[in-house]
């Protein structure tokens, strides 16, 4: 997965399945100024997931579909 805003601080990603179980987590403590942060999700099974992203005091929730 690639998210490409201009990061202004470190970034933390958490991916949960539809039962709320944490299935992936990654932190990028030095993401300042980077355009792309790689997040490996190829080991996840097909389905719908929620990705929670935190960076610079902001939070996002993104739906992820693995097909």
């Amino acid at each position: 997965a690639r998210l490409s805003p201009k990061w202004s601080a470190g970034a933390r990603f958490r991916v949960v399945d539809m039962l709320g179980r944490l299935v992936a987590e990654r932190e990028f403590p030095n993401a300042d100024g980077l355009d792309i942060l790689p997040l490996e999700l190829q080991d996840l099974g097909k389905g719908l997931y929620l990705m929670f992203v935190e960076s610079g005091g902001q939070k996002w929730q993104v739906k992820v579909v693995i097909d």
Side-chain angles (χ1 to χ4, degrees):
R2 288 184 167 189
L3 296 176
S4 54
K6 197 68 153 178
W7 302 102
S8 61
R12 179 177 181 216
F13 296 84
R14 293 179 311 130
V15 181
V16 299
D17 64 14
M18 290 290 94
L19 297 176
R21 296 178 296 201
L22 182 66
V23 295
E25 186 171 27
R26 178 106 190 253
E27 290 193 40
F28 297 90
N30 299 313
D32 188 21
L34 296 178
D35 291 325
I36 296 175
L37 299 175
L39 184 62
E40 304 297 328
L41 301 176
Q42 69 267 15
D43 293 337
L44 298 180
K46 292 181 180 181
L48 181 63
Y49 298 87
L50 293 176
M51 181 185 316
F52 298 93
V53 183
E54 297 177 34
S55 178
Q58 297 184 35
K59 296 181 181 183
W60 300 270
Q61 179 177 324
V62 180
K63 289 181 184 176
V64 177
V65 177
I66 308 262
D67 188 25

